[in-house]
């Protein structure tokens, strides 16, 4: 095979990547610096930081992402550990269920939670029968509700990311520590958690990025009513009420920067360990 | 005290019976080896003694104290693992000092004892190195120091040298033996390498399929194998049935299995003059140089034998294809079945 | 061991938690009415009946399956030469690819939609609203996962050594690739293919914004159905889930069978 043939074989991939990734990226960037009347300006960006409508969307997105990441990470950590120490058969079943659950996000998940925790949800009714009015403290279509739903899809991902780390860390390090007199707590404090830390960091970054960019779940749950960045971008570009594609581009640039930063940190850490 | 007694110990994983009513007893200060092929249960037995695996049945005693269900932390043992298990986030000093810190000993004592150990295993200058920066031999010395610094009553070694290359292995073997003798600590060593077992042990327990098939001193195991398995595992025994001795004079046995060491068989150009000897005429099939040993593979119509001679003359005395005579004293033939 | 029992308990609790939404969705799909009572008022299959007699459902499933399969196949076909070349001929290519494969994580979902819609709504390549823009977008979405899968697979095969060995035996590179490397590759890539498949079948934002009703995928259809009734939506979700699980199980099973044979 000649050199020319070599290049011919790798070209198609890069052509597609250019057409469907790089060029769009470039245009988003360029358009973010234009007003809707096609004039060069940074007014979009100024508006994002001054208009409470947009600052609130970033506030909400970051808040929900952070809280759901924290809770999700905690539960994933305990779950991954439990799965690892529960025996081979149960562990295998648990991982299969986790894999299945990780597919259950977006529109189906939103609908499922409406069925369970909505105004006429199964659990809502259950509490009502028990004399407890769930709706007074919990509204599925509010920030709290979104956090609860987001936590749900963070957990399987967190478990699948953290579980291999437990595989590496338990086993002979634990045995050695035991023979040296250390109990479980001492082991985790001095050896286990320090060794786990890089994985925890990169997992938390991935979960956070996942939550911030999530569109389908929020959109399906609130029909675009709740003010989140991805939802905002979506409505601005598909012209539900206001068609402002350049503003959407500006918001996208900021969101993409956040995601890029997060993923660079997260994946570099993952690379470091392997 | 430092004696170890195991009574009727059994362990199964589902249907698989890994240890079957094991009995053994080890004296204070002795170095014993659990020897056997992969899957014979030796590592499992070691881990039961360590407390890392729960036994199904049976008893384990350290001295007068029953430890069968005692946590490993409380058994006062030291253990060295096949893959070292050095804590990657701690350096050499911290790894060795780990157990001392767990016991919350005063800082001065921790410092003194750790330094002492580092000198004992000759790792001065490496205190701040991380395990990833050490060679295999160095890692194993750290693992040893880490276990010994706690002055355990019993030292357990789980195939500690299998990941190391031959030269390091030889050096470390002798070092471990020296240290063990100096500290007079009861030591249980697990290996599949019979040469290692013979060199190091006061007593050897040969294991096969979850049972102890023979135990005794290195000498007794080597010269008096109790059965086919041990004879096949230790040394390079010729194991034969009576039919294979058809070409031999002075062989009277009609049945049984017999083991014959390659080094007790003599080869000569002419038949032996010693009439007590069992003799046969054979042909040299192959000559193999093993370093200090010259191994002849000889055969006749009924059987094939390995014969080992000391490699004294640079040119082997017997060439391939030559007709020669083999002979040995009848007492050298051990009946094993 | 006490430790194992308490761990097992926690594992069971977590599994129950993960299964609950799916479980109640399925029950809702077969209920007549379940608005104020603790248990469903009655059971019925009428929601499934009306779903399975609706040709729009099958069209949606068909579209999702087609676009997913085409995108995965395209991705595999285009990525493979690049990764192979990177391993055997151009080391600099591997470095570029590592960077390129990470970009979709930053330019994900709605952001990609913004860029694509601008670019392709008009002009010479006005493919916006057609299936082609969706395939292009999906190609980008799964690219990191397909890349990782193919790369790991080829890494494990030690491609360069194999190619060198085959060269010494007289084979051309082309022959070596098809006879030795490709068969082993298929096995290793199956996990990535499954993952990509699950991602694409569950993808909503791009299909909603880029093509919407012009090429209604299963997720868009699902979203639309909330206007019919919660029961109807649940029937769709249940069917969708069974489909995904079945295809995943099938591919895993085939993969296992193949490994055992070979």
């Amino acid at each position: 095979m000649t050199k020319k043939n070599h290049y011919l074989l790798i070209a198609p991939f890069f052509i597609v990547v250019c057409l469907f990734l790089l060029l769009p990226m470039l245009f988003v960037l360029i358009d973010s610096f234009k007003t809707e009347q096609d004039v060069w300006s940074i007014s979009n960006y100024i508006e994002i930081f001054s208009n409470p409508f947009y600052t609130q969307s970033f506030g909400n997105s970051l808040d929900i992402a952070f809280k759901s990441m924290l809770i999700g990470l905690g539960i994933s950590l305990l779950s991954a550990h439990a799965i690892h120490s529960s025996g081979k058969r149960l562990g295998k079943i648990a991982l299969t269920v986790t894999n299945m659950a990780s597919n259950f996000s977006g529109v189906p998940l939103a609908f499922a939670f409406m069925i369970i925790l909505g105004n006429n949800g199964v659990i809502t009714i259950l509490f009502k029968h028990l004399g407890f009015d769930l709706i007074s403290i919990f509204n599925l279509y509010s920030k709290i509700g979104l956090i609860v739903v987001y936590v749900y899809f963070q957990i399987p991902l967190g478990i699948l990311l953290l579980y291999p780390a437990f595989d590496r860390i338990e086993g002979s390090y634990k045995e050695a520590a035991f023979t040296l007199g250390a109990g479980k707590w001492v082991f985790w404090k001095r050896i286990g958690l320090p060794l786990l830390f890089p994985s925890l960091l990169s997992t938390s970054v991935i979960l956070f990025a996942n939550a911030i960019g999530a569109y389908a779940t929020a959109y399906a749950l609130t029909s675009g009513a709740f003010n989140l960045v991805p939802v905002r971008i979506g409505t601005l570009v598909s012209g539900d009420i206001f068609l402002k594609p350049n503003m959407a581009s500006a918001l996208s640039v900021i969101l993409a920067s956040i995601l890029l930063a997060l993923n660079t940190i997260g994946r570099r850490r993952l690379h470091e360990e392997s | 005290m430092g004696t170890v007694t195991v009574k009727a110990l059994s362990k199964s994983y589902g249907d698989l019976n890994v240890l079957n009513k094991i009995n053994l007893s080890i004296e204070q200060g002795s170095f014993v080896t659990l020897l056997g092929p992969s899957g014979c249960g030796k590592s499992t037995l070691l881990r039961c003694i360590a407390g890392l695996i729960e036994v199904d049945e049976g008893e384990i005693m350290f001295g007068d104290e029953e430890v069968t269900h005692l946590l490993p932390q409380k058994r006062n043992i030291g253990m060295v693992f096949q893959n070292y298990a050095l804590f990657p986030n701690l350096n050499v000093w911290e790894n060795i000092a780990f157990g001392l810190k767990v016991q919350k000993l005063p800082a001065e004592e921790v410092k003194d004892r750790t330094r002492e150990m580092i000198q004992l295993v000759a790792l001065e200058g490496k205190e701040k190195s991380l395990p990833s920066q050490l060679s295999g031999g160095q890692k194993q010395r750290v693992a040893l120091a880490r276990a010994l610094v706690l002055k355990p009553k019993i030292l357990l070694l789980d195939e500690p040298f299998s990941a190391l290359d031959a030269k390091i292995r030889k050096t470390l073997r002798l070092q471990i033996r020296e240290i063990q003798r100096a500290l007079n600590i009861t030591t249980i060593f697990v290996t599949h390498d019979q040469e290692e077992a013979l060199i190091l042990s006061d007593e050897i327990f040969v294991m096969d399929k979850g049972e102890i098939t023979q135990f005794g001193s290195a000498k007794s195991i080597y010269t008096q194998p109790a059965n086919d398995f041990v004879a096949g595992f230790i040394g390079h025994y010729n194991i034969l049935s009576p039919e294979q001795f058809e070409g031999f004079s002075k062989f009277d046995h009609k049945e049984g299995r017999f083991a014959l060491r390659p080094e007790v068989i003599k080869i000569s150009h002419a038949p032996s003059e010693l009439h007590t000897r069992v003799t046969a005429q054979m042909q040299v099939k192959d000559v193999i140089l093993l370093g200090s040993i010259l191994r002849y593979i000889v055969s006749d119509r009924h059987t094939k034998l390995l014969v080992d001679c000391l490699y004294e003359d640079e040119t082997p005395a017997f060439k391939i294809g030559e007709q020669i005579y083999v002979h040995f004293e009848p007492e050298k033939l051990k009946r094993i079945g | 061991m006490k430790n194992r029992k308490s761990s097992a308990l926690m594992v069971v609790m977590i599994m129950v938690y993960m299964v609950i939404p799916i479980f109640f969705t399925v029950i809702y799909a077969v209920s007549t009415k379940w608005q104020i009572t603790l248990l469903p008022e009655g059971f019925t299959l009428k929601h499934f009946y009306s779903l399975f007699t609706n040709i729009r459902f099958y069209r949606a499933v068909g579209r999702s399956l087609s676009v997913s399969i085409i995108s995965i196949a395209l991705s595999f076909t285009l990525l493979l030469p690049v990764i192979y070349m990177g391993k055997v001929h151009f080391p600099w290519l591997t470095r570029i690819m590592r960077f390129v494969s990470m970009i979709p994580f930053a330019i994900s979902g709605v952001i990609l939609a913004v860029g694509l819609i601008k670019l392709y709504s008009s002009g010479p390549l006005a493919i916006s609203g057609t299936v082609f823009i969706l395939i292009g977008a999906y190609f980008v979405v799964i690219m990191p996962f397909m890349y990782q899968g193919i790369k790991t697979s080829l890494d494990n095969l030690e491609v360069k050594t194999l190619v060198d060995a085959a060269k010494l035996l007289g084979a051309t590179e082309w022959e070596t690739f098809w006879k030795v490397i490709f068969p082993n590759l298929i096995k290793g890539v199956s996990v990535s293919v499954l993952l990509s498949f699950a991602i694409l079948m569950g993808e909503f934002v791009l299909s909603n914004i880029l093509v919407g009703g012009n090429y209604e995928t299963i997720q868009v259809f699902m979203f639309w159905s909330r206007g019919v009734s919660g029961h109807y939506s649940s029937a769709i979700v249940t069917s969708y889930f069974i489909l995904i699980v079945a295809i995943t199980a099938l591919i895993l099973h085939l993969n296992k069978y193949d490994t055992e044979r070979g």
Side-chain angles (χ1 to χ4, degrees):
Chain A
M1 242 197 295
T2 63
K3 265 282 162 77
K4 193 175 81 151
N5 282 345
H6 287 172
Y7 283 109
L8 268 171
L9 281 172
I10 64 176
F13 171 78
F14 286 103
I15 294 174
V16 175
V17 165
C18 271
L19 285 178
F20 289 96
L21 181 60
L22 298 178
L23 234 50
M25 237 173 84
L26 191 62
F27 274 80
V28 167
L29 190 61
I30 293 176
D31 284 346
S32 69
F33 290 105
K34 291 187 182 172
T35 65
E36 308 297 343
Q37 290 75 35
D38 229 19
V39 175
W40 288 100
S41 149
I42 55 168
S43 61
N44 289 328
Y45 289 102
I46 295 178
E47 198 181 340
I48 291 176
F49 288 110
S50 58
N51 187 338
F53 189 53
Y54 295 119
T55 53
Q56 187 198 49
S57 70
F58 276 101
N60 284 338
S61 281
L62 288 166
D63 193 22
I64 291 177
F66 186 69
K67 290 184 178 148
S68 67
M69 178 272 280
L70 225 51
I71 301 173
L73 190 70
I75 299 178
S76 306
L77 185 62
L78 294 171
S79 304
H81 177 238
I83 293 177
H84 195 267
S85 28
S86 65
K88 220 166 170 197
R89 238 180 352 151
L90 190 60
K92 224 175 183 184
I93 298 175
L95 284 177
T96 312
V97 172
T98 307
N99 241 302
M100 296 287 150
S102 68
N103 288 331
F104 205 69
S105 63
V107 175
L109 184 64
F111 286 178
F113 266 85
M114 286 195 254
I115 293 171
I116 305 174
L117 288 169
N119 292 332
N120 290 313
V122 175
I123 295 186
T124 316
I125 295 176
L126 180 69
F127 278 7
K128 205 182 279 182
H129 275 246
L130 294 172
F132 181 64
D133 187 12
L134 186 65
I135 302 188
S136 62
I137 57 156
F138 176 78
N139 177 12
L140 183 64
Y141 310 101
S142 68
K143 189 185 275 190
I144 288 272
L146 278 171
I147 292 179
V148 168
V149 181
Y150 274 38
V151 164
Y152 180 87
F153 71 70
Q154 301 282 43
I155 291 177
L157 185 60
I159 292 177
L160 293 174
L161 286 171
L162 287 174
Y163 181 81
F166 278 101
D167 243 354
R168 278 196 316 263
I169 291 171
E170 304 218 28
S172 35
Y173 297 143
K174 215 174 185 184
E175 286 187 330
F178 283 0
T179 60
L180 293 166
K184 258 197 318 176
W185 294 112
V186 175
F187 167 72
W188 282 111
K189 188 175 102 171
R190 312 257 337 264
I191 312 287
L193 283 174
L195 285 177
L196 204 54
F197 186 71
S199 288
L200 277 177
L201 193 62
S202 58
T203 302
S204 59
V205 164
I206 291 173
L207 291 181
F208 187 74
N210 198 34
I212 258 199
Y215 174 92
T217 313
Y219 188 75
L221 200 57
T222 63
S223 295
F226 197 84
N227 198 8
L228 290 170
V229 176
V231 174
R232 198 82 290 127
I233 295 175
T235 50
L236 286 173
V237 90
S238 44
D240 280 11
I241 308 166
F242 304 104
L243 185 65
K244 282 180 156 185
N246 293 347
M247 176 57 90
S249 298
L251 286 169
S252 300
V253 169
I254 298 183
L255 184 59
S257 311
I258 298 177
L259 289 174
L260 192 64
L262 288 172
N263 273 288
T264 315
I265 305 172
R267 272 157 221 277
R268 186 176 296 153
R269 269 324 195 107
L270 267 177
H271 262 289
E272 264 172 22
E273 297 157 33
S274 51
Chain B
M1 275 322 299
T3 64
V4 177
T5 320
V6 171
K7 287 195 194 132
L9 194 146
S10 296
K11 174 75 187 170
S12 300
Y13 287 109
D15 290 332
L16 188 63
N17 186 224
V18 179
L19 292 174
N20 192 12
K21 294 208 186 14
I22 300 275
N23 289 295
L24 57 77
S25 102
I26 302 171
E27 281 171 24
Q28 152 71 43
S30 63
F31 188 115
V32 318
T33 299
L34 304 179
L35 174 68
S38 299
C40 68
K42 55 193 192 296
S43 275
T44 311
L45 179 56
L46 195 73
R47 277 184 155 70
C48 288
I49 296 175
L52 295 169
I53 295 182
E54 282 259 344
V55 311
D56 293 337
E57 278 169 30
E59 231 175 57
I60 304 175
M61 315 265 295
F62 290 176
D64 296 324
E65 199 191 336
E66 189 192 335
V67 300
T68 322
H69 301 290
L70 200 57
L71 287 174
Q73 290 87 338
K74 303 235 162 60
R75 294 195 191 196
N76 199 9
I77 47 160
M79 188 156 175
V80 176
F81 298 81
Q82 188 173 1
N83 58 0
Y84 328 117
L86 296 183
F87 305 129
N89 55 319
L90 303 179
N91 62 28
V92 168
W93 177 275
E94 289 162 341
N95 259 286
I96 297 177
F98 183 82
L100 298 171
K101 291 225 179 99
V102 166
Q103 289 177 15
K104 298 204 173 53
L105 295 172
E108 268 308 304
E109 193 182 338
V110 173
K111 214 164 80 166
D112 290 336
R113 283 168 72 170
T114 309
R115 197 181 304 128
E116 198 188 316
M117 266 305 139
I118 293 201
Q119 283 169 357
L120 186 66
V121 295
L123 279 171
E124 292 98 324
K126 291 275 176 204
E127 291 89 340
K128 293 238 186 302
S129 304
L130 289 173
S132 53
Q133 299 166 310
L134 302 174
S135 71
Q138 288 169 330
K139 281 193 250 206
Q140 206 50 295
R141 274 143 59 195
V142 176
L144 188 63
R146 183 177 68 175
L148 288 175
V149 77
L150 297 175
K151 300 202 181 28
K153 296 270 169 39
I154 299 159
L155 181 64
L156 306 173
L157 300 138
D158 189 2
E159 305 209 47
F161 306 135
S162 29
L164 303 170
D165 61 49
K167 193 152 163 262
I168 310 276
R169 207 182 295 183
K170 288 197 168 74
T171 323
L172 275 182
R173 258 182 220 165
L174 297 174
Q175 268 187 352
I176 284 212
R177 196 58 169 118
E178 271 169 27
I179 295 176
Q180 185 264 340
R181 281 215 184 94
L183 297 175
N184 195 33
I185 176 174
T186 313
T187 303
I188 308 180
F189 185 85
V190 164
T191 182
H192 60 269
D193 181 345
Q194 41 103 2
E195 189 186 314
E196 217 161 57
L198 291 173
I199 295 174
L200 294 173
S201 329
D202 294 326
E203 205 175 341
I204 301 179
F205 293 86
V206 184
M207 289 181 70
D208 180 30
K209 299 199 189 51
E211 296 182 348
I212 296 180
T213 187
Q214 186 177 2
F215 66 91
S217 68
K219 177 179 159 194
S220 70
I221 301 270
Y222 187 70
T223 58
Q224 322 263 31
N227 52 47
D228 250 73
F229 175 79
V230 179
F233 197 75
I234 295 265
H236 300 276
Y237 268 91
N238 294 294
I239 304 178
L240 308 154
S241 325
E243 319 82 68
Q244 291 170 291
F245 285 103
E246 259 203 57
F248 283 71
S249 68
K250 304 243 180 353
F251 182 79
D252 301 321
H253 303 274
K254 291 283 183 287
E255 49 178 36
R257 302 268 296 158
F258 295 90
L260 189 61
R261 283 188 285 139
E263 61 268 23
V264 306
I265 309 175
K266 306 285 172 234
I267 307 186
S268 51
H269 292 289
S272 165
E273 288 172 359
L274 298 162
H275 299 285
T276 48
R277 292 203 164 184
V278 179
T279 317
Q281 188 173 31
M282 293 188 147
Q283 192 187 44
V284 177
K285 287 295 183 196
D286 203 356
V287 182
I288 305 171
L289 177 59
L290 297 172
S292 54
I293 303 273
L294 201 56
R295 179 163 290 159
Y296 291 95
I297 302 183
V298 301
S299 68
D300 68 3
R301 250 186 327 141
H302 307 285
T303 187
K304 191 173 88 168
L305 290 177
L306 261 55
V307 181
D308 285 353
C309 306
L310 218 46
Y311 183 46
E312 289 174 288
D313 306 312
E314 286 184 25
T315 318
F318 309 97
K319 303 186 197 20
I320 299 182
E322 248 188 88
Q323 291 287 100
I324 43 89
Y325 288 89
V326 295
H327 44 95
F328 55 88
E329 294 294 337
E331 314 84 67
K332 301 284 191 208
L333 201 58
K334 307 288 176 185
R335 176 124 184 210
I336 57 172
Chain C
M1 247 195 271
K2 196 173 82 156
N3 189 32
R4 191 176 278 208
K5 281 224 184 87
S6 56
S7 293
L9 184 64
M10 167 138 206
V11 172
V12 171
M13 274 171 28
I14 272 288
M15 286 202 288
V16 167
Y17 171 77
M18 288 197 276
V19 165
I20 280 181
I22 306 167
F23 176 72
F24 282 114
T25 303
V26 174
I27 306 259
Y28 209 71
V30 293
S31 314
T32 51
K33 198 164 161 226
W34 199 2
Q35 290 284 67
I36 41 175
T37 52
L38 193 57
L39 290 173
E41 285 183 26
F43 293 104
T44 174
L45 285 177
K46 72 172 183 213
H47 308 294
F48 279 103
Y49 184 73
S50 84
L51 179 67
F52 291 152
T53 52
N54 185 353
I55 197 165
R56 194 167 155 189
F57 169 64
Y58 296 104
R59 289 214 182 106
V61 171
R63 289 192 197 103
S64 286
L65 283 175
S66 318
V67 79
S68 302
I69 293 173
I70 294 175
S71 304
I72 293 175
L74 190 68
S75 177
F76 185 78
T77 313
L78 263 46
L79 265 174
L80 186 53
V82 175
I83 301 174
Y84 176 82
M85 289 294 163
K87 283 192 85 55
V88 181
H89 295 288
F90 308 126
W92 51 263
L93 192 54
T94 308
R95 282 196 295 274
I96 293 182
M97 282 308 290
R98 205 183 297 164
F99 173 69
V100 169
S101 71
M102 274 194 13
I103 302 179
F105 287 126
I107 316 296
S108 66
V110 72
I111 302 172
L112 186 62
V114 174
L116 287 173
I117 230 184
K118 275 304 211 56
L119 204 51
Y120 299 109
S121 323
S122 52
L125 281 167
I127 53 173
S128 180
T130 67
V131 66
F132 296 105
I133 202 176
L134 204 57
I135 293 176
Y138 279 11
F139 178 92
V140 169
V141 167
I142 59 173
M143 190 251 285
F145 307 102
M146 293 298 289
Y147 171 74
Q148 199 56 57
I150 298 176
K151 179 152 189 309
T152 310
S153 217
L154 283 182
D155 281 344
N156 289 341
L157 282 178
E158 289 185 15
V159 177
K160 191 146 201 338
T161 317
L162 282 177
V163 169
D164 286 344
K167 257 191 217 166
L168 288 171
L169 292 167
T172 66
E173 199 170 349
W174 188 253
E175 272 180 301
T176 314
F177 180 80
W178 287 108
K179 290 205 178 122
V180 180
I181 296 175
F182 191 75
N184 285 301
L185 191 60
I186 299 289
K187 257 182 277 179
V189 167
S190 56
V191 173
S192 295
V193 167
L194 267 181
L195 181 61
S196 303
F197 181 74
I199 291 173
L200 291 182
M201 289 295 282
E203 206 286 326
F204 176 71
V205 57
L206 288 166
S207 48
N208 194 33
I209 293 181
L210 291 177
V211 293
N214 289 341
Y215 193 81
E216 192 180 56
T217 58
I218 187 74
Q219 295 289 331
V220 174
F221 176 64
M222 218 185 272
F223 182 67
W224 165 87
S225 73
R226 79 204 185 285
V228 177
S229 79
H231 300 284
Y232 194 68
S233 307
S234 301
I236 303 177
V237 174
T238 307
S239 313
Y240 164 76
F241 205 69
I242 293 176
L243 180 70
I244 296 283
V245 169
I247 296 184
T248 307
L250 181 70
I251 297 188
L252 281 176
H253 179 77
L254 282 175
N255 201 43
K256 197 165 70 152
Y257 175 62
D258 202 20
T259 323
E260 276 164 26
R261 258 194 329 153

